[in-house]
Each structure stands twice: as structure tokens, then as C-alpha cells.
Amino acid sequence: MAEFTVPEVDYTRYTNRQLAAVPLAVLVVALLVIAGWYVATGAPVNQGIEFTGGTEIQVAVDAPPAQAEQQIRQAFTAEPESIRSVPTENTYIVTFQSNDGSSVNPSELERQAEQAGFEIRAISSVSPSFGGDTQTLALGGVVAAFLGMSLLVFAMFRTFVPSIAVVISAFSDIVIPLALMNVLGIELSLGTVAALLMLIGYSVDSDILLNNHVLRRSGDFYESTYRAMRTGVTMTLTSIAAMIVMTVTATIFGIQLLAAIGTVLVFGLSADLMNTYMLNLSLLRWYKYEGVAR
């Protein structure tokens, strides 16, 4: 079996500004998408029923797929937030959100589904107040994890530029997938929050690996960079491949949560490659050859 090798990029052909321009431009666009979404909807990203409150009911509808959605919408007095099919024949998951702070009565939805002749497979509900508490805890956990990571990085390197390079890269690795979640219609849920937490760990792994090789290992800057890339790029590409397989499989079998987690991780890990070996590397090279000299 042929051994996988990471091609060596001739970084001497590019200035630090050229390397940093692309990831910074992508970060700015992502921030603009999130800001625009907040202005338009009142939230930086669409939220699932775990955070807003609501009811999810799984029903079997004896009708062709083209007619089933119309029958489901006519059966309920409340407007469904989403209707999605699952691999089981004629089975659909109908979601009702409580965006206005009022809850949809699960018993009433169950009664309306039975009157329409649907077979109810499962039903679950989250109150708006509980969803708000869950949102506070989940997002507070992400902020706490990011701040803890930042403090640990500064404690490890004890110098501003290499530390802030890691922090900016990790921040971008989270912001870019959040913006893409809005574009792709992926809701913020406990599963996608877990994916964002995993991205913090993935980002720190590759960035610290690069910083350690450049700042603490012997050898030329580019030699140290290529050593770090052989491990870091291989590790990240392997994770991306695994997440792609998970996303495709989950999509085929209708497991929406795993598909959403996999999609967020694929985009986040791809952004991490760009941020680590363009943005972080440009800051390290500036620090190594210009910042230290000053």
C-alpha cells in the first residue's frame, strides 16, 4: 500500500499578508453572515426545539410522499416548523417550535393526528422555560471551554503572538461552521453544540503541534513546519474522511442529528486546515523573523 505523504508547500513564494488574507477574509464573511442573521431573525443561528421549546411528533401517513406533507399540514391547526421523512416507510417527523415563548400542547397535537388517521410512533416535548435554561447552560459551556483553552494556551507559550495565533484560529474554526449552519439550514441543538466543543479540541491540537515544532524544536522554520504538517494534516484529513462517511451514512438512514454533527465537523475541520497552515503560520513566521528581532 502506498504511503500517504503531505506535499510540501513552498511558503517562501508568499508574504505573510498573502497567507493571512484568505482566512481573514473568510472569517469576516462568516461574521457578516452571523450578524445579518441576527438582525433578520433576532438570533445568530437558528435554534432547535431543545433551546426554543416545542414538540416533535413521529407519525405514519398512509399516502404517497407527494401528498403526505400536504395532509400533515392540513391535519394540525399549528404550523409545523419542519416535516422530514425517515427511512421507515411512510413515516415522518413533524416539529413544532415555540418561538414566541408559548408552548404547543402535545395532547392536542396527538388528538389532531389521531383524528387525521395518522399512526403515532413517538412524541416528545420541551417547555420554553426548560429550553431557555438548556440554551444558557450549553452556550455557557462553549464560552467556558473557549476561555479555558485560551488561558491554557497563554500559560503554555507565555508569549503574545504565538498564543493569540492559536486563539484566533480556534475562534475562526467555530465561527465559520456557525455561519454555514445558517446557509445550510442546520439548527443549533445539543448535538451541534457538542460538535463545536469538539472543534475547539481539534483546532488546539493542530495549532499547538505547529507552534511546538516551530518554537521549541531544533531545525529551520520551514523544516519544522513540514514536520508538523506531516502529522497535523494527516490527522485532520483522516478525521474529515471519517466525518464524511458518518454524514453520508446518517443522511441515507435519516439520522438527522448525526448528519448535522458530521456536517459541522467537516466544515470546521476544513476551516482548521486553512487557519492553521495559513493564518497561524503567517503569524508565527512574522513573530520568528520580525517580531523577535524587534
Side-chain angles (χ1 to χ4, degrees):
M1 181 182 294
E3 183 180 354
F4 174 76
T5 57
V6 177
E8 293 187 358
V9 181
D10 185 6
Y11 282 106
T12 59
R13 297 175 53 191
Y14 308 100
T15 66
N16 292 330
R17 288 185 179 181
Q18 288 174 326
L19 287 175
V22 174
L24 288 178
V26 174
L27 175 59
V28 170
V29 171
L31 289 172
L32 288 175
V33 169
I34 293 173
W37 207 266
Y38 181 81
V39 171
T41 65
V45 63
N46 287 334
Q47 302 171 50
I49 63 172
E50 296 98 324
F51 295 151
T52 63
T55 300
E56 189 173 85
I57 182 170
Q58 184 174 332
V59 295
V61 182
D62 188 14
Q67 302 175 9
E69 182 173 339
Q70 183 179 0
Q71 289 187 14
I72 291 172
R73 292 189 182 278
Q74 292 175 347
F76 300 103
T77 55
E79 180 66 22
E81 176 70 20
S82 66
I83 301 172
R84 62 184 188 273
S85 61
V86 296
T88 307
E89 185 177 0
N90 297 332
T91 302
Y92 299 84
I93 297 176
V94 189
T95 303
F96 300 86
Q97 278 192 326
S98 303
N99 291 318
D100 58 354
S102 61
S103 59
V104 181
N105 190 329
S107 300
E108 180 64 19
L109 294 176
E110 188 173 0
R111 184 186 65 81
Q112 292 174 2
E114 290 174 346
Q115 285 183 341
F118 301 157
E119 179 187 347
I120 300 173
R121 299 285 175 85
I123 185 169
S124 61
S125 180
V126 177
S127 69
S129 60
F130 182 79
D133 293 340
T134 304
Q135 179 186 39
T136 301
L137 288 173
L139 299 183
V142 174
V143 172
F146 188 85
L147 291 177
M149 175 274 298
S150 302
L151 292 174
L152 180 61
V153 168
F154 275 94
M156 287 180 61
F157 295 107
R158 302 178 185 275
T159 47
F160 180 76
V161 174
S163 300
I164 201 66
V166 176
V167 174
I168 292 175
S169 293
F171 176 74
S172 183
D173 289 349
I174 295 174
V175 170
I176 292 173
L178 276 176
L180 287 170
M181 285 170 62
N182 289 331
V183 175
L184 298 175
I186 299 175
E187 294 179 340
L188 186 68
S189 64
L190 290 175
T192 50
V193 167
L196 295 176
L197 287 171
M198 284 188 277
L199 283 175
I200 295 176
Y202 276 119
S203 174
V204 170
D205 277 349
S206 56
D207 286 310
I208 289 180
L209 178 68
L210 177 62
N211 285 19
N212 269 330
H213 274 74
V214 170
L215 300 176
R216 297 179 177 175
R217 299 284 182 91
S218 61
D220 175 73
F221 176 86
Y222 298 106
E223 179 186 347
S224 299
T225 297
Y226 297 142
R227 284 203 308 266
M229 287 183 68
R230 278 194 291 269
T231 302
V233 173
T234 302
M235 176 180 66
T236 304
L237 289 178
T238 301
S239 299
I240 290 174
M243 290 304 106
I244 289 175
V245 171
M246 185 184 81
T247 302
V248 172
T249 304
T251 301
I252 293 173
F253 288 97
I255 309 174
Q256 188 184 32
L257 177 61
L258 287 181
I261 291 174
T263 302
V264 171
L265 287 173
V266 167
F267 284 118
L269 290 170
S270 300
D272 182 51
L273 283 175
M274 174 185 67
N275 290 318
T276 300
Y277 302 108
M278 294 180 72
L279 179 59
N280 190 359
L281 189 137
S282 67
L283 291 172
L284 279 178
R285 188 169 66 177
W286 177 88
Y287 172 78
K288 189 86 170 177
Y289 293 114
E290 299 181 39
V292 173
R294 292 180 183 178

